[in-house]
Amino acid sequence: MDDTAVDWLCGRMPTVLNVGLDPRVVDDPSAPNDAFPTVDAAQVEAGLARAGTELALLGLGFETCLLDRSTTAVVYDLNPQ
């Protein structure tokens, strides 16, 4: 039995990290929407749910990192000088 099978049997399935728009700010009027003018929160939420379902059918976990593109977004400097 290979390591992948052992991980799956022990509940340690591989996980996919999704990075994308936070549905809560997609429709926010203070958030610039030049990059995605035709995307709304419902479309983002549906896409996340669909991706999670499809990946689960493939035996993969699904974690999401949602980005806030509004003017109130917090920016963290991961490489301070």
Side-chain angles (χ1 to χ4, degrees):
M1 186 177 306
D2 65 18
D3 289 340
T4 303
V6 170
D7 284 344
W8 184 80
L9 289 170
C10 294
R12 297 182 305 239
M13 69 175 74
T15 301
V16 173
L17 174 62
N18 172 67
V19 178
L21 298 173
D22 188 332
R24 294 173 297 182
V25 298
V26 171
D27 291 332
D28 183 347
S30 72
N33 64 354
D34 297 339
F36 306 99
T38 61
V39 175
D40 64 17
Q43 290 171 306
V44 175
E45 290 169 352
L48 291 170
R50 187 172 47 252
T53 298
E54 291 172 0
L55 290 168
L57 290 172
L58 296 172
L60 298 170
F62 184 64
E63 294 291 329
T64 302
C65 174
L66 299 175
L67 304 176
D68 178 347
R69 60 185 174 96
S70 70
T71 57
T72 60
V74 176
V75 177
Y76 297 97
D77 185 357
L78 299 178
N79 295 307
Q81 299 293 327

